[in-house]
Amino acid sequence: MTWKKAFALLLVIAILSAGVYYMREMEQDDSRNLKELYSEVEPLQRQREALVAERDSLEVDYALQMRDVGTIQLLFKELSEDIYTEVYPLMRDRGIVGVLGVTSKEYPGLQKKLKIDQFNRLLMDGWGSCLIYEKNTNFSKWYDGIADRMERDELPMPTAIFFPEGNYTEAMTQDLIDHGITTVVLPGEDGRSATVTPLDGEVWVTSAMPWNYTGVNTDTELLARTNGANLTFTISFKNLWDAYEEESFIRILDNWESMLDTDDPLEELSQGTNTASANPAEVITAQAQLLMPRLKTTNYESARQAHLAAVSDNEGLQREQDERRAALDEQIAALDEQIRAVYDRWEQSAKKVK
């Protein structure tokens, strides 16, 4: 090999070495640049992911707070003394209350009826009272007669009234309002058997069914799973208590007791804590609770107030949820802009180097 060829070969090797060195430097620069880019973008991405998770959890968080329980009234259409001696202990032991029906003939203190002190004791224990409209009477005269009687006996006047089938018309509404009635109870046969009734009027119209009708257990289960639902179950004591199959009644009470609303064990979730930061098992449990039956047995005043409060609270919570979602969307959009700006800056920097 001549010295010229040797020199040419060395020159080629030098050029190739320089190229390899340059490529390695470029690769190292690119690697450093990517690391710097990642270090700048990664915190923004983490913030964005946290905000998206919080936004996605809003529905569960607020659903837990916005639920309204189903309510039941157990209306006794006669004031038999057996209510206090036989039935009340069974219901009290299960945390279940009832409603006492009042008419001119079914009135506390009459023979074989609840004594006045027993009537008051039940009211003090959370029970309610309800007028039972007597057919073929002038409403105002009939109401005023019972009202005067209850005032003399220092008994609270009911604000609810049950109308037997075919005895109620909407034309009576103003008259009912003038007499202080806030709840009208109609038998299902009147075509008003829907359990979810609007609360936007001055008179709340709700439905009633016999306590032992076919399908009562299924309907009660559905009732407890339907927000804002209400249903009255009526009991009549025209026959002896034994004739009402006490064991069957107890089974129904036991079924209701199993569905009675209790405090949410995941209090931190039900109070609106962000489920995105909660234990996954707790989140699953909280979501499952949305399908759990929740039921209360109440008097009419308590049921009406509870549902009205739920409607008001839910409207406020919905506004709060919408505001939180809008604020989170705004923060996410701002982070997206920041992330895009970082990438644009690095892209422009790379073009200048080239």
Side-chain angles (χ1 to χ4, degrees):
M1 175 182 298
T2 65
W3 68 270
K4 290 184 178 180
K5 290 183 178 180
F7 178 77
L9 180 60
L10 289 173
L11 183 60
V12 170
I13 293 173
I15 293 172
L16 290 175
S17 298
V20 170
Y21 173 79
Y22 178 76
M23 290 178 65
R24 285 178 178 173
E25 285 296 308
M26 287 290 292
E27 288 177 356
Q28 289 177 359
D29 287 344
D30 288 344
S31 178
R32 282 193 296 270
N33 289 342
L34 287 174
K35 286 180 180 179
E36 290 177 16
L37 174 62
Y38 178 78
S39 67
E40 193 170 350
V41 169
E42 194 267 342
L44 298 176
Q45 290 283 16
R46 280 206 311 271
Q47 290 181 49
R48 187 185 189 282
E49 289 170 5
L51 291 173
V52 169
E54 183 179 350
R55 183 189 62 188
D56 292 345
S57 73
L58 287 179
E59 187 173 352
V60 172
D61 288 341
Y62 279 90
L64 286 168
Q65 297 179 78
M66 291 171 68
R67 294 190 62 215
D68 187 9
V69 300
T71 50
I72 283 178
Q73 293 79 47
L74 190 57
L75 174 60
F76 293 85
K77 294 172 67 177
E78 291 92 27
L79 292 186
S80 168
E81 58 187 352
D82 289 338
I83 294 174
Y84 192 83
T85 58
E86 301 292 336
V87 184
Y88 171 51
L90 296 174
M91 296 173 62
R92 179 191 57 205
D93 291 346
R94 292 163 174 80
I96 295 173
V97 298
V99 178
L100 302 167
V102 177
T103 72
S104 60
K105 298 180 179 63
E106 298 295 330
Y107 190 87
L110 297 181
Q111 187 177 11
K112 294 185 178 181
K113 305 299 178 183
L114 284 174
K115 296 179 176 60
I116 289 180
D117 63 334
Q118 293 174 333
F119 186 91
N120 281 325
R121 169 64 186 276
L122 292 176
L123 295 184
M124 290 176 61
D125 202 28
W127 285 50
S129 59
C130 177
L131 296 172
I132 308 292
Y133 183 67
E134 297 170 75
K135 299 178 182 180
N136 303 319
T137 58
N138 176 277
F139 173 78
S140 293
K141 290 182 179 179
W142 171 82
Y143 179 95
D144 291 341
I146 294 180
D148 290 342
R149 192 172 177 180
M150 296 193 80
E151 184 177 3
R152 288 196 303 270
D153 292 329
E154 298 182 344
L155 295 173
M157 191 63 183
T159 59
I161 182 169
F162 173 86
F163 283 97
E165 184 179 0
N167 281 263
Y168 169 78
T169 64
E170 293 190 2
M172 303 173 67
T173 300
Q174 189 57 52
D175 202 13
L176 295 172
I177 293 171
D178 293 342
H179 286 83
I181 297 297
T182 59
T183 302
V184 168
V185 188
L186 301 177
E189 293 79 11
D190 265 10
R192 304 295 288 271
S193 58
T195 58
V196 180
T197 50
L199 286 159
D200 52 357
E202 292 185 74
V203 175
W204 180 32
V205 180
T206 188
S207 301
M209 293 292 285
W211 74 269
N212 57 350
Y213 72 95
T214 302
V216 60
N217 285 328
T218 300
D219 285 358
T220 306
E221 179 80 14
L222 292 173
L223 182 73
R225 294 179 182 276
T226 307
N227 288 349
N230 182 82
L231 189 59
T232 293
F233 295 93
T234 58
I235 292 182
S236 177
F237 272 89
K238 291 180 180 178
N239 300 312
L240 295 177
W241 168 245
D242 288 345
Y244 279 83
E245 301 175 4
E246 183 175 346
E247 291 184 4
S248 176
F249 184 73
I250 290 174
R251 283 197 297 272
I252 289 179
L253 294 183
D254 288 340
N255 184 44
W256 290 356
E257 183 185 15
S258 69
M259 291 185 285
L260 290 181
D261 184 43
T262 56
D263 292 335
D264 186 351
L266 300 176
E267 184 176 355
E268 70 280 5
L269 291 175
S270 66
Q271 294 301 320
T273 300
N274 176 20
T275 55
S277 61
N279 183 292
E282 290 180 335
V283 175
I284 293 172
T285 303
Q287 292 171 330
Q289 285 205 355
L290 296 177
L291 301 176
M292 294 296 289
R294 306 202 312 166
L295 192 68
K296 284 184 179 178
T297 63
T298 66
N299 57 52
Y300 289 109
E301 290 81 3
S302 296
R304 185 171 182 272
Q305 290 304 316
H307 291 311
L308 283 171
V311 169
S312 177
D313 290 347
N314 288 348
E315 288 175 352
L317 287 168
Q318 185 62 56
R319 285 194 298 272
E320 183 180 316
Q321 179 182 353
D322 293 341
E323 289 169 2
R324 281 187 63 188
R325 184 182 297 279
L328 289 168
D329 284 340
E330 187 175 340
Q331 293 178 62
I332 292 168
L335 282 170
D336 287 340
E337 287 293 327
Q338 287 183 258
I339 292 169
R340 278 195 295 271
V342 171
Y343 280 114
D344 288 345
R345 177 159 45 82
W346 278 92
E347 185 178 353
Q348 292 299 322
S349 176
K351 287 180 179 178
K352 288 181 180 179
V353 171
K354 292 178 181 179

